[in-house]
Amino acid sequence: MKKISILILAVILFTTCKEQGPERWTNMSPAIDVAKALVKDYEDGNWEGWSNHYAEGAEIHHNSVESISWQQLQEGLQADIANYSNYGFMQGEDKMFFEQIIDNKGDTWVYLWGTWEGKMKGSTDNYQIPVHLALKFVDNKIVEEHGFYNRSAIDARLKEMEDMKNADEAEEMYLNHA
């Protein structure tokens, strides 16, 4: 009985003293700080700072299985925000969530959930769009990014505005030649 008690005690002591691996989930980390800085640089229009968060050759997937470069993403974001008098993510602890996980392969991912909002120039249209980003990090640089959001209301409004502009130009051309 004494030997069994010592054996059980040794097993308990061994299992509690074994070296712990990295924490597999957290909501505070250097990678999360980089993700927060990425959002701030986007909102501030600090494209040099924004681009510094990406590793060369990073693969970006936004609503697509096809990848683009961070340079292509930057060009697209800049073209898009030109349509807004103001834009950004809703701020506050209950408005934007970040978490980091280390997956079974040992890869570090930061997940962001937030609501993007913007007011379109030349209109009273305000948009709020839920956004999810999954950012894979190596050496505190983003090497892979997956973004998911629904732009259909914005795209429909932009098309409508373009159609109205084209109709006005066609009418002006007709009146000038009549």
Side-chain angles (χ1 to χ4, degrees):
M1 183 69 171
K2 190 175 184 182
K3 287 182 183 183
I4 292 174
S5 296
I6 291 173
L7 182 62
I8 290 173
L9 185 59
V11 168
I12 291 172
L13 188 58
F14 177 73
T15 58
T16 59
C17 292
K18 78 176 185 174
E19 188 176 317
Q20 298 292 318
E23 192 165 339
R24 293 180 60 84
W25 178 90
T26 185
N27 59 5
M28 294 175 18
S29 74
I32 288 175
D33 293 340
V34 170
K36 289 178 178 180
L38 178 78
V39 170
K40 181 167 181 3
D41 288 337
Y42 163 76
E43 292 176 327
D44 293 345
N46 177 6
W47 297 107
E48 184 176 333
W50 179 89
S51 66
N52 286 331
H53 302 299
Y54 289 92
E56 205 52 51
E59 291 186 23
I60 315 295
H61 305 266
H62 276 219
N63 290 329
S64 176
V65 295
E66 300 297 321
S67 70
I68 60 173
S69 68
W70 63 262
Q71 294 93 336
Q72 291 169 306
L73 176 62
Q74 179 179 339
E75 290 170 7
L77 291 173
Q78 288 174 315
D80 186 55
I81 62 175
N83 295 307
Y84 298 93
S85 57
N86 61 50
Y87 69 94
F89 283 86
M90 294 176 74
Q91 298 298 313
E93 207 167 293
D94 61 336
K95 305 283 187 215
M96 197 167 215
F97 303 94
F98 294 86
E99 73 177 19
Q100 175 185 299
I101 64 113
I102 297 175
D103 67 15
N104 291 339
K105 297 177 187 174
D107 293 332
T108 300
W109 289 87
V110 170
Y111 299 123
L112 161 117
W113 292 269
T115 302
W116 179 92
E117 59 184 348
K119 181 175 179 169
M120 199 168 283
K121 287 180 181 175
S123 79
T124 58
D125 296 341
N126 287 304
Y127 295 92
Q128 292 185 338
I129 299 173
V131 173
H132 171 65
L133 295 179
L135 309 167
K136 182 179 175 182
F137 282 85
V138 173
D139 297 328
N140 279 331
K141 294 279 189 180
I142 300 166
V143 297
E144 188 175 341
E145 175 174 324
H146 298 268
F148 303 96
Y149 42 88
N150 180 354
R151 290 182 42 97
S152 59
I154 291 172
D155 292 340
R157 180 65 174 134
L158 288 171
K159 174 134 178 41
E160 180 182 303
M161 290 170 68
E162 183 67 24
D163 291 346
M164 288 187 330
K165 179 183 170 192
N166 291 340
D168 289 345
E169 289 173 357
E171 182 179 352
E172 185 177 319
M173 188 183 298
Y174 174 76
L175 292 174
N176 289 336
H177 288 69

